[in-house]
Amino acid sequence: MTTTSPPTDPVALRAAYLERLAASDEPGAVAVALGALDAGVDAETVLLDVVAGAQREVGDLWAAGEWTVVQEHVATHISERVVAAVAQRAPAPASSALGKVAVACLDGEWHGLPARLLAEVLARHGWAVEFLGASVPAAQLATHLHRAGPDVVAISSSLPSRLPAARRMVEACHATGTPVLAGGAAFGEDGRWARAVGADGWAPDGRAAAAMLAADPDGPWFADEAATATGTPGDVPAREEQAVLHARRAELVRHVAAALRPETAGGPVGTVPDELADDLGHLVDFLAAAVFVDDPGLFDGFVRWVGTVTIPDGLRTGEVAAALDALAAALADSPRTVRLLRSAPGAHGGQPATVG
Amino acid sequence: MEGRHGAPTREAAEAAAARAPATTPAPGLAAPPPDGGPGLLDGLEEGVVVCDRAGVVRAANPAARALLPALRVGEVVDVARCEVLARAVHDRDAPASFETVVVHPEGERHLRGRRGPVLGPAPPPPPEPRDGDTTWYLRDVTGEHARTDTLLAAQERAAFLAEAGRALHGVLHLDRTARRVVALAVPRLAAGVTLVVRHDDTLTWACAELGGGRPRLGHAEATDLARVPRLAAALTGEGAGTGDPFLAGDLATLTGLEAPAGGVRALAVPTTGVVDALVVLAGPRSAGPDTGDALAVAEEDVLTSYVARAGAALAAAALHEEQAHLGAVLQESLAASRLPATPGIAWGAAYRPARETMRVGGDFYEVVDGSERSAFLLGDVCGKGIEAAVLSGRVRQSWHALRLLEDRPGRLLPLLNTALLDAVATRAESPRFATMVLGDARPLGDGTVVLRLATGGHPPPLVLRASGEVEAVPVSGMLVGGLREARFGEAEVLLGPGDTCLLYSDGVVEARGAGDFFGEERLAETLPRCAGTPAAVLCEHLEQTVVSWLDGHDHDDIAMLAVQAPPHAAGVPPKE
């Protein structure tokens, strides 16, 4: 492989690929990927450095409010097609006797592409891979575990708000003695929350996952075994407060919406704009996840991010403090939750917000 | 202080210390100080009470005072509120020992009392204690230790079996169970353990060794047993042949692993006949059942209990595997079909059954590619779960067959109706209704696609124009499978480039979240956001919207099928 001519340089390829995604040009995107393969770039590089890399940028564009959810969906759809096309043009070799891996996205995690890419990469490293798809309910995973008996389950999620679901999945796996390797941004930049939900290891990306599984197919992969062995994910108060937040989610969204925009109070559900309801729902979800893993950093990160993105009708920067207050008032019975709310950036009595 | 009151003789103290706590009556006790102050007695863990003939307490050590806080030196023993003790003191013929329960500030105390020797009138003078003398109390704890060791060993055995039960119980996969059975047994039961299981035509073996890392696992055909007759005999003989000294050699032949060097022991695994299983232990901790020693008996008991648990787990896994296979075959045949790649038409679909573990349900869709027209079907049979899925399979198969004979949707639907009614009539079933939209799509070559639709009892399809406008196709009809003379509606729709026709089941609009139903209006409001997106993205986006609306609540089967005339050229979807 050479990096002198543009078509084989991963960075240039990624830029060209992202351009096709931005134009919603599926044939063009496929052509970029297959062209790279034909020029001698290996499939793993195309999948991880070009496709996954470009998708990360798409995610950033969405997070920055520059792309809509629908645009992001279209880009992801195109990338799914590209992965299929790459798999067809450069098929993975027949699996060796390494073992079976089940790759699944957390329940409620709709970004199936990173998991799909992981499945492709692991297949290329000799594993027999079963890809269970996006948003896999824990019960479905359990059924699969009993039927297929994989050696390892790799779970993927990009949203930390799905962490409570991760615990259910990890428990389902551990009940059958199957180790769990977690991956994706949901588990924190250093995978710290993977430990908190009881996973046996965390990989930052597909390459790392393949290397970790090659070095030790059984796990646990966390260096200090004791911490994972004894760590019951989410102690009892954490679980209880998280459960309260989950059960009261819809009520809390309405309550906070009414506090922020009194004109929506008392009306039917539909009077709260979808965008505001979505933002507040995410706020509650992230709060629940932060309570669950007992890490204020998780919630703070989300609160900062909410402050940077302006979606019409969504939660406005100036409303964040009031929203946190309204939540704290409604959740006075949950001391941990209230502590998180009070210490969040921008909260009254908390750290100053980093974004105006 | 120490010199102020009498103390036992050295001999008596030694004797008392040596036999304590069995005998500590302090025979050399002279007139104790009225306050029962410190002395040798004070160090005893056993409470000592000395009473005179009248029952007045002459002395009591701290242990006695702690047990009976009401006890007062110089007062009658009755004030101590221990009736049995008082009776024993007053009545010299009362039994020399008793057990009773006394009320105590820290809760009830169980008390055992024992009469000591009656003290003589003139006890021998005790040696004068000197400043700096130290005192030692000795106690024989051999029995206590033996009891503790036995208890700990019994606890360890119970804990091992409980842990094994827990670890084996959750696994319902035969290979994993086999691997666990050997992994858990090493090193607790033996230095090496091999398990051989025959289930139908397959032999599974698993082997774990001390320090050998991950248990190894392999498969062989049941016919391979012919090569290893001794193993075959032991495996199927329900215990017979397990004592064969050459078994280890056969085992090595089967697994291709080295035969264990030392002594081996084989046990048949009780599996209630579901599978045949045999464990072979290398360097077993329990040599056999015929040793008299209590510890050996207990060890043998652990081994047989473990093997019984392993047998139950293997049987459960084997049965589950059969059921799961049955389920998987059924699921595979009933699962939502793959969408074809049709030139000039873009398809999209989403499917979410109510019972998500089943992955099948009463909603269904089918798409079949044709040279000129591509036929499609989306529907919903009443009910959910496997019963509904089986019925939906009947509908889909009937449709596949009938559409070869009649491709006009308006005629095909009545045929399907009759076929369903006839099928029900032959089976003494109560009528099962279905609702559906069926039709075909024909690309016209100019980028447009013409649809012919027929519907019975189903929500009307929606058309999302490339511009973002949403129209309901005005078509309705009666339930399918209800009446022979049912009437169904027909419609024709022309899709321009980028236009999409969405068929959906009522699970979409009847999805009930924390508040309200998702509803037709919300569906119609959500659609324009997807204008211009590929059909697959539209369905995915809708599914996601509906599932987040559900917010974890139960739902009916959800199915969507989108037929799209692809946009002319790649274009940026409109930004919100």
Side-chain angles (χ1 to χ4, degrees), chain A residues 144-162:
Chain A
H144 177 81
L145 290 171
H146 289 314
R147 201 183 68 222
D151 298 282
V152 180
V153 172
I155 55 173
S156 160
S157 184
S158 57
L159 287 171
S161 55
R162 306 313 312 163

mmCIF file with all atom_site columns, all heavy atoms in Angstrom, chain A residues 144-162:
data_model
loop_
_atom_site.group_PDB
_atom_site.id
_atom_site.type_symbol
_atom_site.label_atom_id
_atom_site.label_alt_id
_atom_site.label_comp_id
_atom_site.label_asym_id
_atom_site.label_entity_id
_atom_site.label_seq_id
_atom_site.pdbx_PDB_ins_code
_atom_site.Cartn_x
_atom_site.Cartn_y
_atom_site.Cartn_z
_atom_site.occupancy
_atom_site.B_iso_or_equiv
_atom_site.pdbx_formal_charge
_atom_site.auth_seq_id
_atom_site.auth_comp_id
_atom_site.auth_asym_id
_atom_site.auth_atom_id
_atom_site.pdbx_PDB_model_num
ATOM 1   N N   . HIS A 1 144 ? -30.734 -16.098 22.325 1.00 0.00 ? 144 HIS A N   1
ATOM 2   C CA  . HIS A 1 144 ? -29.620 -16.404 21.433 1.00 0.00 ? 144 HIS A CA  1
ATOM 3   C C   . HIS A 1 144 ? -28.496 -17.120 22.177 1.00 0.00 ? 144 HIS A C   1
ATOM 4   O O   . HIS A 1 144 ? -27.902 -18.062 21.657 1.00 0.00 ? 144 HIS A O   1
ATOM 5   C CB  . HIS A 1 144 ? -29.100 -15.126 20.779 1.00 0.00 ? 144 HIS A CB  1
ATOM 6   C CG  . HIS A 1 144 ? -27.909 -15.363 19.905 1.00 0.00 ? 144 HIS A CG  1
ATOM 7   N ND1 . HIS A 1 144 ? -28.033 -15.841 18.621 1.00 0.00 ? 144 HIS A ND1 1
ATOM 8   C CD2 . HIS A 1 144 ? -26.592 -15.255 20.144 1.00 0.00 ? 144 HIS A CD2 1
ATOM 9   C CE1 . HIS A 1 144 ? -26.820 -16.004 18.111 1.00 0.00 ? 144 HIS A CE1 1
ATOM 10  N NE2 . HIS A 1 144 ? -25.928 -15.645 19.011 1.00 0.00 ? 144 HIS A NE2 1
ATOM 11  N N   . LEU A 1 145 ? -28.219 -16.650 23.392 1.00 0.00 ? 145 LEU A N   1
ATOM 12  C CA  . LEU A 1 145 ? -27.140 -17.258 24.180 1.00 0.00 ? 145 LEU A CA  1
ATOM 13  C C   . LEU A 1 145 ? -27.428 -18.737 24.415 1.00 0.00 ? 145 LEU A C   1
ATOM 14  O O   . LEU A 1 145 ? -26.547 -19.575 24.286 1.00 0.00 ? 145 LEU A O   1
ATOM 15  C CB  . LEU A 1 145 ? -27.010 -16.555 25.527 1.00 0.00 ? 145 LEU A CB  1
ATOM 16  C CG  . LEU A 1 145 ? -26.459 -15.143 25.498 1.00 0.00 ? 145 LEU A CG  1
ATOM 17  C CD1 . LEU A 1 145 ? -26.596 -14.497 26.858 1.00 0.00 ? 145 LEU A CD1 1
ATOM 18  C CD2 . LEU A 1 145 ? -25.000 -15.156 25.076 1.00 0.00 ? 145 LEU A CD2 1
ATOM 19  N N   . HIS A 1 146 ? -28.681 -19.030 24.748 1.00 0.00 ? 146 HIS A N   1
ATOM 20  C CA  . HIS A 1 146 ? -29.019 -20.424 25.029 1.00 0.00 ? 146 HIS A CA  1
ATOM 21  C C   . HIS A 1 146 ? -28.984 -21.253 23.757 1.00 0.00 ? 146 HIS A C   1
ATOM 22  O O   . HIS A 1 146 ? -28.650 -22.426 23.780 1.00 0.00 ? 146 HIS A O   1
ATOM 23  C CB  . HIS A 1 146 ? -30.402 -20.510 25.666 1.00 0.00 ? 146 HIS A CB  1
ATOM 24  C CG  . HIS A 1 146 ? -30.425 -19.983 27.065 1.00 0.00 ? 146 HIS A CG  1
ATOM 25  N ND1 . HIS A 1 146 ? -29.465 -20.320 27.987 1.00 0.00 ? 146 HIS A ND1 1
ATOM 26  C CD2 . HIS A 1 146 ? -31.267 -19.143 27.696 1.00 0.00 ? 146 HIS A CD2 1
ATOM 27  C CE1 . HIS A 1 146 ? -29.736 -19.718 29.124 1.00 0.00 ? 146 HIS A CE1 1
ATOM 28  N NE2 . HIS A 1 146 ? -30.812 -18.982 28.973 1.00 0.00 ? 146 HIS A NE2 1
ATOM 29  N N   . ARG A 1 147 ? -29.346 -20.657 22.646 1.00 0.00 ? 147 ARG A N   1
ATOM 30  C CA  . ARG A 1 147 ? -29.435 -21.426 21.418 1.00 0.00 ? 147 ARG A CA  1
ATOM 31  C C   . ARG A 1 147 ? -28.073 -21.584 20.775 1.00 0.00 ? 147 ARG A C   1
ATOM 32  O O   . ARG A 1 147 ? -27.679 -22.679 20.389 1.00 0.00 ? 147 ARG A O   1
ATOM 33  C CB  . ARG A 1 147 ? -30.408 -20.767 20.448 1.00 0.00 ? 147 ARG A CB  1
ATOM 34  C CG  . ARG A 1 147 ? -30.913 -21.771 19.427 1.00 0.00 ? 147 ARG A CG  1
ATOM 35  C CD  . ARG A 1 147 ? -31.814 -21.123 18.416 1.00 0.00 ? 147 ARG A CD  1
ATOM 36  N NE  . ARG A 1 147 ? -31.063 -20.215 17.571 1.00 0.00 ? 147 ARG A NE  1
ATOM 37  C CZ  . ARG A 1 147 ? -31.485 -19.027 17.209 1.00 0.00 ? 147 ARG A CZ  1
ATOM 38  N NH1 . ARG A 1 147 ? -32.642 -18.598 17.616 1.00 0.00 ? 147 ARG A NH1 1
ATOM 39  N NH2 . ARG A 1 147 ? -30.746 -18.262 16.448 1.00 0.00 ? 147 ARG A NH2 1
ATOM 40  N N   . ALA A 1 148 ? -27.353 -20.478 20.641 1.00 0.00 ? 148 ALA A N   1
ATOM 41  C CA  . ALA A 1 148 ? -26.113 -20.527 19.863 1.00 0.00 ? 148 ALA A CA  1
ATOM 42  C C   . ALA A 1 148 ? -24.879 -20.747 20.746 1.00 0.00 ? 148 ALA A C   1
ATOM 43  O O   . ALA A 1 148 ? -23.868 -21.231 20.270 1.00 0.00 ? 148 ALA A O   1
ATOM 44  C CB  . ALA A 1 148 ? -25.954 -19.236 19.067 1.00 0.00 ? 148 ALA A CB  1
ATOM 45  N N   . GLY A 1 149 ? -24.987 -20.390 22.023 1.00 0.00 ? 149 GLY A N   1
ATOM 46  C CA  . GLY A 1 149 ? -23.863 -20.596 22.923 1.00 0.00 ? 149 GLY A CA  1
ATOM 47  C C   . GLY A 1 149 ? -22.572 -19.944 22.459 1.00 0.00 ? 149 GLY A C   1
ATOM 48  O O   . GLY A 1 149 ? -21.551 -20.608 22.354 1.00 0.00 ? 149 GLY A O   1
ATOM 49  N N   . PRO A 1 150 ? -22.586 -18.633 22.185 1.00 0.00 ? 150 PRO A N   1
ATOM 50  C CA  . PRO A 1 150 ? -21.339 -17.981 21.755 1.00 0.00 ? 150 PRO A CA  1
ATOM 51  C C   . PRO A 1 150 ? -20.301 -17.994 22.874 1.00 0.00 ? 150 PRO A C   1
ATOM 52  O O   . PRO A 1 150 ? -20.660 -18.125 24.040 1.00 0.00 ? 150 PRO A O   1
ATOM 53  C CB  . PRO A 1 150 ? -21.781 -16.542 21.441 1.00 0.00 ? 150 PRO A CB  1
ATOM 54  C CG  . PRO A 1 150 ? -22.990 -16.338 22.284 1.00 0.00 ? 150 PRO A CG  1
ATOM 55  C CD  . PRO A 1 150 ? -23.683 -17.669 22.371 1.00 0.00 ? 150 PRO A CD  1
ATOM 56  N N   . ASP A 1 151 ? -19.031 -17.875 22.493 1.00 0.00 ? 151 ASP A N   1
ATOM 57  C CA  . ASP A 1 151 ? -17.962 -17.843 23.495 1.00 0.00 ? 151 ASP A CA  1
ATOM 58  C C   . ASP A 1 151 ? -17.849 -16.471 24.131 1.00 0.00 ? 151 ASP A C   1
ATOM 59  O O   . ASP A 1 151 ? -17.427 -16.343 25.273 1.00 0.00 ? 151 ASP A O   1
ATOM 60  C CB  . ASP A 1 151 ? -16.634 -18.224 22.848 1.00 0.00 ? 151 ASP A CB  1
ATOM 61  C CG  . ASP A 1 151 ? -16.683 -19.629 22.312 1.00 0.00 ? 151 ASP A CG  1
ATOM 62  O OD1 . ASP A 1 151 ? -16.575 -20.562 23.111 1.00 0.00 ? 151 ASP A OD1 1
ATOM 63  O OD2 . ASP A 1 151 ? -16.869 -19.801 21.089 1.00 0.00 ? 151 ASP A OD2 1
ATOM 64  N N   . VAL A 1 152 ? -18.189 -15.461 23.364 1.00 0.00 ? 152 VAL A N   1
ATOM 65  C CA  . VAL A 1 152 ? -18.072 -14.080 23.837 1.00 0.00 ? 152 VAL A CA  1
ATOM 66  C C   . VAL A 1 152 ? -19.257 -13.297 23.278 1.00 0.00 ? 152 VAL A C   1
ATOM 67  O O   . VAL A 1 152 ? -19.713 -13.566 22.174 1.00 0.00 ? 152 VAL A O   1
ATOM 68  C CB  . VAL A 1 152 ? -16.774 -13.416 23.314 1.00 0.00 ? 152 VAL A CB  1
ATOM 69  C CG1 . VAL A 1 152 ? -16.670 -11.985 23.809 1.00 0.00 ? 152 VAL A CG1 1
ATOM 70  C CG2 . VAL A 1 152 ? -15.546 -14.203 23.726 1.00 0.00 ? 152 VAL A CG2 1
ATOM 71  N N   . VAL A 1 153 ? -19.740 -12.345 24.059 1.00 0.00 ? 153 VAL A N   1
ATOM 72  C CA  . VAL A 1 153 ? -20.726 -11.408 23.532 1.00 0.00 ? 153 VAL A CA  1
ATOM 73  C C   . VAL A 1 153 ? -20.079 -10.029 23.503 1.00 0.00 ? 153 VAL A C   1
ATOM 74  O O   . VAL A 1 153 ? -19.502 -9.593  24.491 1.00 0.00 ? 153 VAL A O   1
ATOM 75  C CB  . VAL A 1 153 ? -22.005 -11.377 24.397 1.00 0.00 ? 153 VAL A CB  1
ATOM 76  C CG1 . VAL A 1 153 ? -22.929 -10.260 23.941 1.00 0.00 ? 153 VAL A CG1 1
ATOM 77  C CG2 . VAL A 1 153 ? -22.722 -12.710 24.329 1.00 0.00 ? 153 VAL A CG2 1
ATOM 78  N N   . ALA A 1 154 ? -20.128 -9.398  22.340 1.00 0.00 ? 154 ALA A N   1
ATOM 79  C CA  . ALA A 1 154 ? -19.641 -8.026  22.229 1.00 0.00 ? 154 ALA A CA  1
ATOM 80  C C   . ALA A 1 154 ? -20.862 -7.125  22.164 1.00 0.00 ? 154 ALA A C   1
ATOM 81  O O   . ALA A 1 154 ? -21.728 -7.319  21.310 1.00 0.00 ? 154 ALA A O   1
ATOM 82  C CB  . ALA A 1 154 ? -18.789 -7.871  20.978 1.00 0.00 ? 154 ALA A CB  1
ATOM 83  N N   . ILE A 1 155 ? -20.951 -6.176  23.106 1.00 0.00 ? 155 ILE A N   1
ATOM 84  C CA  . ILE A 1 155 ? -22.085 -5.253  23.072 1.00 0.00 ? 155 ILE A CA  1
ATOM 85  C C   . ILE A 1 155 ? -21.587 -3.866  22.711 1.00 0.00 ? 155 ILE A C   1
ATOM 86  O O   . ILE A 1 155 ? -20.500 -3.461  23.093 1.00 0.00 ? 155 ILE A O   1
ATOM 87  C CB  . ILE A 1 155 ? -22.888 -5.222  24.393 1.00 0.00 ? 155 ILE A CB  1
ATOM 88  C CG1 . ILE A 1 155 ? -21.983 -4.912  25.586 1.00 0.00 ? 155 ILE A CG1 1
ATOM 89  C CG2 . ILE A 1 155 ? -23.602 -6.532  24.617 1.00 0.00 ? 155 ILE A CG2 1
ATOM 90  C CD1 . ILE A 1 155 ? -22.750 -4.716  26.875 1.00 0.00 ? 155 ILE A CD1 1
ATOM 91  N N   . SER A 1 156 ? -22.415 -3.184  21.954 1.00 0.00 ? 156 SER A N   1
ATOM 92  C CA  . SER A 1 156 ? -22.008 -1.890  21.440 1.00 0.00 ? 156 SER A CA  1
ATOM 93  C C   . SER A 1 156 ? -23.076 -0.865  21.751 1.00 0.00 ? 156 SER A C   1
ATOM 94  O O   . SER A 1 156 ? -24.268 -1.161  21.668 1.00 0.00 ? 156 SER A O   1
ATOM 95  C CB  . SER A 1 156 ? -21.809 -2.010  19.929 1.00 0.00 ? 156 SER A CB  1
ATOM 96  O OG  . SER A 1 156 ? -21.865 -0.739  19.331 1.00 0.00 ? 156 SER A OG  1
ATOM 97  N N   . SER A 1 157 ? -22.640 0.313   22.122 1.00 0.00 ? 157 SER A N   1
ATOM 98  C CA  . SER A 1 157 ? -23.585 1.404   22.290 1.00 0.00 ? 157 SER A CA  1
ATOM 99  C C   . SER A 1 157 ? -22.860 2.724   22.201 1.00 0.00 ? 157 SER A C   1
ATOM 100 O O   . SER A 1 157 ? -21.715 2.849   22.627 1.00 0.00 ? 157 SER A O   1
ATOM 101 C CB  . SER A 1 157 ? -24.305 1.313   23.633 1.00 0.00 ? 157 SER A CB  1
ATOM 102 O OG  . SER A 1 157 ? -25.269 2.335   23.715 1.00 0.00 ? 157 SER A OG  1
ATOM 103 N N   . SER A 1 158 ? -23.534 3.699   21.630 1.00 0.00 ? 158 SER A N   1
ATOM 104 C CA  . SER A 1 158 ? -22.918 5.009   21.507 1.00 0.00 ? 158 SER A CA  1
ATOM 105 C C   . SER A 1 158 ? -23.481 5.981   22.546 1.00 0.00 ? 158 SER A C   1
ATOM 106 O O   . SER A 1 158 ? -22.889 7.016   22.795 1.00 0.00 ? 158 SER A O   1
ATOM 107 C CB  . SER A 1 158 ? -23.148 5.569   20.102 1.00 0.00 ? 158 SER A CB  1
ATOM 108 O OG  . SER A 1 158 ? -24.528 5.624   19.853 1.00 0.00 ? 158 SER A OG  1
ATOM 109 N N   . LEU A 1 159 ? -24.624 5.647   23.131 1.00 0.00 ? 159 LEU A N   1
ATOM 110 C CA  . LEU A 1 159 ? -25.270 6.592   24.032 1.00 0.00 ? 159 LEU A CA  1
ATOM 111 C C   . LEU A 1 159 ? -25.164 6.133   25.487 1.00 0.00 ? 159 LEU A C   1
ATOM 112 O O   . LEU A 1 159 ? -25.684 5.084   25.842 1.00 0.00 ? 159 LEU A O   1
ATOM 113 C CB  . LEU A 1 159 ? -26.761 6.710   23.680 1.00 0.00 ? 159 LEU A CB  1
ATOM 114 C CG  . LEU A 1 159 ? -27.073 7.466   22.401 1.00 0.00 ? 159 LEU A CG  1
ATOM 115 C CD1 . LEU A 1 159 ? -28.539 7.324   22.058 1.00 0.00 ? 159 LEU A CD1 1
ATOM 116 C CD2 . LEU A 1 159 ? -26.707 8.933   22.541 1.00 0.00 ? 159 LEU A CD2 1
ATOM 117 N N   . PRO A 1 160 ? -24.506 6.927   26.329 1.00 0.00 ? 160 PRO A N   1
ATOM 118 C CA  . PRO A 1 160 ? -24.400 6.537   27.743 1.00 0.00 ? 160 PRO A CA  1
ATOM 119 C C   . PRO A 1 160 ? -25.761 6.374   28.406 1.00 0.00 ? 160 PRO A C   1
ATOM 120 O O   . PRO A 1 160 ? -25.881 5.688   29.408 1.00 0.00 ? 160 PRO A O   1
ATOM 121 C CB  . PRO A 1 160 ? -23.633 7.691   28.380 1.00 0.00 ? 160 PRO A CB  1
ATOM 122 C CG  . PRO A 1 160 ? -22.954 8.382   27.261 1.00 0.00 ? 160 PRO A CG  1
ATOM 123 C CD  . PRO A 1 160 ? -23.812 8.188   26.045 1.00 0.00 ? 160 PRO A CD  1
ATOM 124 N N   . SER A 1 161 ? -26.789 6.997   27.845 1.00 0.00 ? 161 SER A N   1
ATOM 125 C CA  . SER A 1 161 ? -28.104 6.870   28.483 1.00 0.00 ? 161 SER A CA  1
ATOM 126 C C   . SER A 1 161 ? -28.627 5.443   28.416 1.00 0.00 ? 161 SER A C   1
ATOM 127 O O   . SER A 1 161 ? -29.606 5.114   29.070 1.00 0.00 ? 161 SER A O   1
ATOM 128 C CB  . SER A 1 161 ? -29.104 7.831   27.836 1.00 0.00 ? 161 SER A CB  1
ATOM 129 O OG  . SER A 1 161 ? -29.152 7.616   26.452 1.00 0.00 ? 161 SER A OG  1
ATOM 130 N N   . ARG A 1 162 ? -27.984 4.593   27.614 1.00 0.00 ? 162 ARG A N   1
ATOM 131 C CA  . ARG A 1 162 ? -28.440 3.196   27.526 1.00 0.00 ? 162 ARG A CA  1
ATOM 132 C C   . ARG A 1 162 ? -27.762 2.303   28.559 1.00 0.00 ? 162 ARG A C   1
ATOM 133 O O   . ARG A 1 162 ? -27.957 1.086   28.544 1.00 0.00 ? 162 ARG A O   1
ATOM 134 C CB  . ARG A 1 162 ? -28.189 2.607   26.138 1.00 0.00 ? 162 ARG A CB  1
ATOM 135 C CG  . ARG A 1 162 ? -28.749 3.379   24.966 1.00 0.00 ? 162 ARG A CG  1
ATOM 136 C CD  . ARG A 1 162 ? -30.167 3.813   25.142 1.00 0.00 ? 162 ARG A CD  1
ATOM 137 N NE  . ARG A 1 162 ? -31.047 2.756   25.617 1.00 0.00 ? 162 ARG A NE  1
ATOM 138 C CZ  . ARG A 1 162 ? -32.236 2.971   26.148 1.00 0.00 ? 162 ARG A CZ  1
ATOM 139 N NH1 . ARG A 1 162 ? -32.687 4.189   26.283 1.00 0.00 ? 162 ARG A NH1 1
ATOM 140 N NH2 . ARG A 1 162 ? -32.961 1.969   26.559 1.00 0.00 ? 162 ARG A NH2 1
#
